[in-house]
Amino acid sequence: MRNFFKIADNTFKESVREPVYFLMLLCALGLIAHFPSMALFVFSDQIKLVVDSSMATCLLFGLLAAVLCASHTVAREMRNGTVLLLFSKPVHRWTFVLGKIVGIVLAVLLFTVLCSLAAFVSVYVATDQFRMDMAAYFTFLGVVVVACAYGMLRNYFSGAAFPASATLGLTVLLPIFVVYCILTKEHPTVELRDLAYGLILINFAAAAMGTLAVVFATRLDVVANLGVCSCIFFLGLISNYLFARDTGSEVLNFLGAIAYAVFPNWQYFWLADALAVNRAIPGSYVGWAALYVVIYIALCSMWAVALFQNKEIAGDTRV
């Protein structure tokens, strides 16, 4: 178990230290921060557009982060044979794969949690359809600037990786600012509890996609991995229409039922429509979604272990 935790910890740190990780995080936070200004003068639908856009940004950028992290820490290490050094020690292949899955899922969850916190701030910035809370807007941008300055100072004085240090700064400062907004500012029209539930479900979806990205990273490079994960993402969005409808044929219905079980149904995690009409999201729904994700991640992890058992690594033919 010690090797498992060490691999997971190193994978998480390596993913967060990647410049592309922080670059995508910075782009996602910048987009979410500016959604209120893009949704001005839309006749009382500003909050809906801000929430929908923020949730979509969390989900799509989480998918990209998952694929890039998995390709960097799994596919590249196998391609250049770095993993053989690890296997020269008493480390099993299943330990390596499961450690990589846990580390990458944690990195992706950190990414989407920070985006979710930014979505909370963005909702408070979107005061109404004709104005924005400029104090909250500029404070949020200031938080990002301070986190970047902290990363630069740590990099200059101690040699610490700038992306990891800046991400650490955001992890500390963003929750504080969100709590400040909740305690001191006027509550938005959307129910905060339901918004939190909706964003939690987005994080569940990102965790499942991170696991799938590791599964395919054991066999595919980054471009192919991104293509396959994008196809699964698209098919999962429309799985209710493609696989769950009655076609009139028993064979097609049976095949559709299998495909419906295999492809994750992302509609379970996308509740922006419910938030738009202020429909309450029950906590039991979030609990069942969490159970669904746990089971799906467990099955995908077993699949990844099975794929990796006979994988040849840089000329290594050991089983």
Side-chain angles (χ1 to χ4, degrees):
M1 290 300 293
R2 181 182 177 184
N3 291 331
F4 167 78
F5 287 115
K6 289 295 293 183
I7 293 173
D9 180 61
N10 290 335
T11 301
F12 171 77
K13 292 178 179 177
E14 185 179 358
S15 299
V16 175
R17 281 197 296 261
E18 280 298 300
V20 68
Y21 179 91
F22 184 72
L23 181 61
M24 287 193 302
L25 179 59
L26 205 60
C27 291
L29 296 181
L31 282 173
I32 293 173
H34 289 89
F35 283 144
S37 64
M38 299 177 187
L40 285 174
F41 308 108
V42 290
F43 303 104
S44 77
D45 285 336
Q46 186 189 25
I47 293 295
K48 176 183 182 301
L49 291 176
V50 169
V51 171
D52 287 4
S53 302
S54 299
M55 292 176 66
T57 301
C58 291
L59 192 57
L60 293 177
F61 275 81
L63 165 64
L64 291 174
V67 172
L68 292 177
C69 289
S71 298
H72 172 73
T73 61
V74 179
R76 194 172 73 177
E77 288 185 6
M78 291 192 301
R79 185 172 61 251
N80 59 24
T82 305
V83 71
L84 291 177
L85 179 62
L86 184 63
F87 287 157
S88 65
K89 305 178 184 299
V91 176
H92 299 288
R93 290 195 172 205
W94 65 267
T95 304
F96 172 81
V97 173
L98 295 182
K100 290 293 183 182
I101 289 175
V102 170
I104 289 171
V105 167
L106 289 177
V108 172
L109 284 177
L110 176 61
F111 186 99
T112 52
V113 165
L114 291 176
C115 292
S116 300
L117 293 173
F120 264 95
V121 176
S122 189
V123 167
Y124 277 96
V125 172
T127 305
D128 57 48
Q129 66 267 31
F130 300 113
R131 64 188 179 91
M132 296 166 47
D133 188 338
M134 300 306 295
Y137 170 73
F138 285 113
T139 304
F140 175 58
L141 295 182
V143 166
V144 176
V145 171
V146 170
C148 292
Y150 172 72
M152 288 188 291
L153 291 175
R154 281 201 67 193
N155 178 262
Y156 180 78
F157 287 106
S158 63
F162 167 76
S165 300
T167 303
L168 175 62
L170 288 171
T171 305
V172 174
L173 295 176
L174 264 182
I176 296 175
F177 184 53
V178 169
V179 172
Y180 169 79
C181 291
I182 293 174
L183 295 178
T184 62
K185 295 186 178 296
E186 181 182 355
H187 288 290
T189 55
V190 65
E191 182 65 35
L192 292 181
R193 181 184 67 89
D194 294 333
L195 177 61
Y197 282 163
L199 292 171
I200 288 172
L201 291 171
I202 293 295
N203 284 265
F204 289 166
M209 185 56 68
T211 307
L212 282 173
V214 178
V215 172
F216 296 116
T218 59
R219 297 285 174 173
L220 303 174
D221 282 332
V222 57
V223 176
N225 193 355
L226 180 60
V228 172
C229 288
S230 299
C231 290
I232 292 177
F233 178 74
F234 175 73
L235 292 175
L237 285 176
I238 59 175
S239 62
N240 285 335
Y241 174 77
L242 286 180
F243 309 126
R245 61 193 181 100
D246 186 8
T247 61
S249 170
E250 293 185 1
V251 176
L252 292 179
N253 288 340
F254 176 73
L255 295 177
I258 295 177
Y260 188 77
V262 169
F263 288 95
N265 190 342
W266 305 116
Q267 292 295 335
Y268 289 151
F269 310 103
W270 182 260
L271 296 185
D273 296 334
L275 293 173
V277 296
N278 290 323
R279 180 178 298 174
I281 300 175
S284 59
Y285 184 91
V286 180
W288 284 112
L291 179 62
Y292 175 84
V293 169
V294 169
I295 294 175
Y296 198 86
I297 288 177
L299 293 175
C300 288
S301 298
M302 290 188 287
W303 183 22
V305 171
L307 286 175
F308 195 66
Q309 283 300 318
N310 296 321
K311 171 68 176 176
E312 182 177 346
I313 305 170
D316 177 38
T317 57
R318 293 176 299 170
V319 177

